[in-house]
Amino acid sequence: MTREEAIKAMQTHRVRHRYFSKEEWVTQCTNGMLCLEDGVMCDPEEFWRWRQGSEWDDGWEIIPNPERGVG
């Protein structure tokens, strides 16, 4: 999926990028912050600051888990 699709999917699902390990994921909490698999919360601007360039424009996928359990 594309970056734009991943941003939308983060609102309801955990997503990962092809560069992430199988254990890594990100999701958006109800307060708008992004939550990573290790419990770290970050502002979306901070998250995307380090993920610039065409390699981050696609290669995203939803992790098949119906329960996020986060925010």
Side-chain angles (χ1 to χ4, degrees):
M1 94 176 57
T2 67
R3 174 182 167 150
E4 291 78 23
E5 292 168 327
I7 290 170
K8 183 173 173 118
M10 284 179 200
Q11 296 174 10
T12 55
H13 294 85
R14 294 174 178 175
V15 299
R16 74 172 151 236
H17 189 265
R18 67 175 176 251
Y19 292 155
F20 289 10
S21 72
K22 279 193 140 188
E23 295 78 29
E24 291 179 302
W25 51 263
V26 59
T27 192
Q28 184 178 349
C29 297
T30 55
N31 65 4
M33 297 290 283
L34 298 181
C35 182
L36 308 177
E37 76 289 338
D38 58 2
V40 169
M41 303 282 276
C42 68
D43 184 273
E45 289 182 25
E46 178 71 15
F47 180 82
W48 291 110
R49 180 177 303 140
W50 305 107
R51 290 163 183 87
Q52 300 290 318
S54 60
E55 63 270 17
W56 295 99
D57 289 343
D58 60 15
W60 294 91
E61 66 177 342
I62 292 174
I63 297 176
N65 182 351
E67 297 181 34
R68 283 194 307 171
V70 176

